[in-house]
Each structure stands twice: as structure tokens, then as C-alpha cells.
Amino acid sequence: MIKRLVLASSSPRRRELLEQIGLHPEIIPSTVEEKVTDTDPVKVVESLSLQKAGDVAEKCRKDEPEEETVIIGADTVVAIDGRILGKPTDREDALRMINLIQGRTHQVYTGVTLIVDRNGKERVRTFSEETHVTVYPMDEKEIQDYVSSGEPDDKAGAYGIQGRFAAYIKKINGDYSNVVGLPAGRVCQELKAIFQEMESIV
């Protein structure tokens, strides 16, 4: 059992995904100023997840020392034609994004960094997951109504797959939870591998 599990994110969706697989994290959102020096979606999400996890790991080290602490940092972006679609800045931006992805297939990338501090030994592992999402064609009224719902606010690519936008999802190739914001199964398997690796070191 993990003694202290910390999610470096205030995302309720990520917390719910972890709780779904039996992990109940403490929430300590990262406050690091995110620095992006690349345009490749994989490099961007992996770098940002590492920045977030590292920031929270520093905070945790200043607390009372724990025998075992696991930090999870994550970042998700939507991309189409190799271009990253972040969170919409306003209504017009949300309309632009939905118009770009409707009737087409786009990619969702989530980068994850796991920092495990166990008995004075630390392991850092960063990885990313890619999921292809195909959206049904949407007419102008459907796009306008969806954006007016407020659901696109604060969501990468201006949509939430677990909400009303599910009505427009035609096909998913890959991990569904990755699109929600965290590849929960992969996180579990990577943690398992890290613990096995640490236990094998004498």
C-alpha cells in the first residue's frame, strides 16, 4: 500500500480516475510557471508533467519526511494536423476548435511523470499515452449550442468527452481514460514496475 499518494493537479477528473482504480490521492496542485520550448505534442506533455511533478515533489520534501511518497504529475493536450489545441481563451476560440475537430480524427496526448521516494531512494519515470478520437460531423447549431453550454471552458481542445460531447464521439482508438485526462491503467502498471524494480535492488 502506498503511504502517501499525491496528485499534482486540481483536476477533479484525474482524481476520479485514480479513485476508480482504488487510489485515493492527496491533492497538491502545482504552481510552477509552465515553460514550453517545443511544439511536438509528446515532448510538450511529457515536459509539463515533469515540471508539475517536480514542483510538488519539492514541496513534499519540505513536509515531515514520509517513508514512502508517490507524486503524479500530468498534462493533457489535444492536437490536430500536428497543431496543439490548448484550453480555449474565449467563446470564439472554443468555436474555432470545435469547427477544427468536427467530422475528423484528432489525437489526445497525456504526459505523466511519477516520482517515487521510498526509503531514501528516488525513481522518476515519465511517459505519454496517445489516443485517436473521431468526431461525427456537427452542424453550426450543434456547435453553437455545445459551446453555449459552458462545457468547453477550461478543457483541452474545448470539449469534455465524459460530458455532453459524448453525443458527437464516433470512435476512439486507444485508452478512453487518457482522453478524460489520465491513462489510469498505464499509471497503475508503471507504478507496479517501479516498485518491483526498487524491491529488486539490494
Side-chain angles (χ1 to χ4, degrees):
M1 179 182 286
I2 300 169
K3 289 186 170 58
R4 187 182 189 192
L5 176 65
V6 179
L7 176 61
S9 168
S10 58
S11 165
R13 296 172 292 278
R14 291 190 178 120
R15 187 191 71 242
E16 287 163 9
L17 285 166
L18 288 172
E19 289 176 345
Q20 185 181 324
I21 59 172
L23 299 175
H24 300 277
E26 178 182 342
I27 307 299
I28 304 180
S30 168
T31 54
V32 72
E33 184 179 338
E34 298 178 2
K35 294 175 184 173
V36 178
T37 57
D38 213 298
T39 55
D40 177 79
V42 170
K43 291 178 181 175
V44 167
V45 293
E46 290 188 354
S47 172
L48 290 176
S49 76
L50 181 58
Q51 290 175 42
K52 292 175 181 179
D55 174 53
V56 172
E58 279 297 315
K59 293 174 184 173
C60 290
R61 289 186 193 108
K62 293 173 185 174
D63 295 345
E64 289 295 316
E66 297 279 339
E67 184 181 347
E68 177 180 283
T69 303
V70 176
I71 313 289
I72 301 176
D75 192 79
T76 302
V77 300
V78 170
I80 192 162
D81 300 329
R83 288 187 299 148
I84 293 174
L85 304 181
K87 295 175 182 178
T89 54
D90 54 27
R91 178 184 172 82
E92 290 307 309
D93 200 27
L95 289 169
R96 177 185 67 84
M97 291 185 190
I98 299 298
N99 270 295
L100 270 174
I101 66 173
Q102 64 89 20
R104 301 181 60 197
T105 298
H106 64 271
Q107 292 72 45
V108 178
Y109 300 88
T110 297
V112 179
T113 293
L114 306 173
I115 299 180
V116 179
D117 193 340
R118 194 179 198 194
N119 301 324
K121 297 173 185 173
E122 185 181 85
R123 286 289 181 277
V124 180
R125 184 167 298 187
T126 299
F127 58 91
S128 57
E129 195 73 28
E130 175 183 351
T131 304
H132 292 252
V133 180
T134 303
V135 180
Y136 281 110
M138 298 170 68
D139 62 34
E140 188 58 34
K141 185 178 186 307
E142 288 172 325
I143 294 170
Q144 292 281 349
D145 286 350
Y146 179 67
V147 171
S148 295
S149 74
E151 192 173 279
D153 301 349
D154 200 40
K155 291 185 178 65
Y159 76 91
I161 196 167
Q162 73 281 18
R164 285 181 56 174
F165 203 73
Y168 305 111
I169 300 299
K170 182 177 183 179
K171 184 171 64 175
I172 295 173
N173 185 3
D175 184 353
Y176 169 83
S177 68
N178 185 54
V179 186
V180 179
L182 191 72
R186 178 86 182 270
V187 167
C188 203
Q189 294 304 310
E190 294 285 351
L191 279 173
K192 180 179 170 184
I194 292 172
F195 285 136
Q196 288 175 343
E197 181 184 299
M198 294 179 86
E199 283 167 7
S200 68
I201 298 171
V202 178

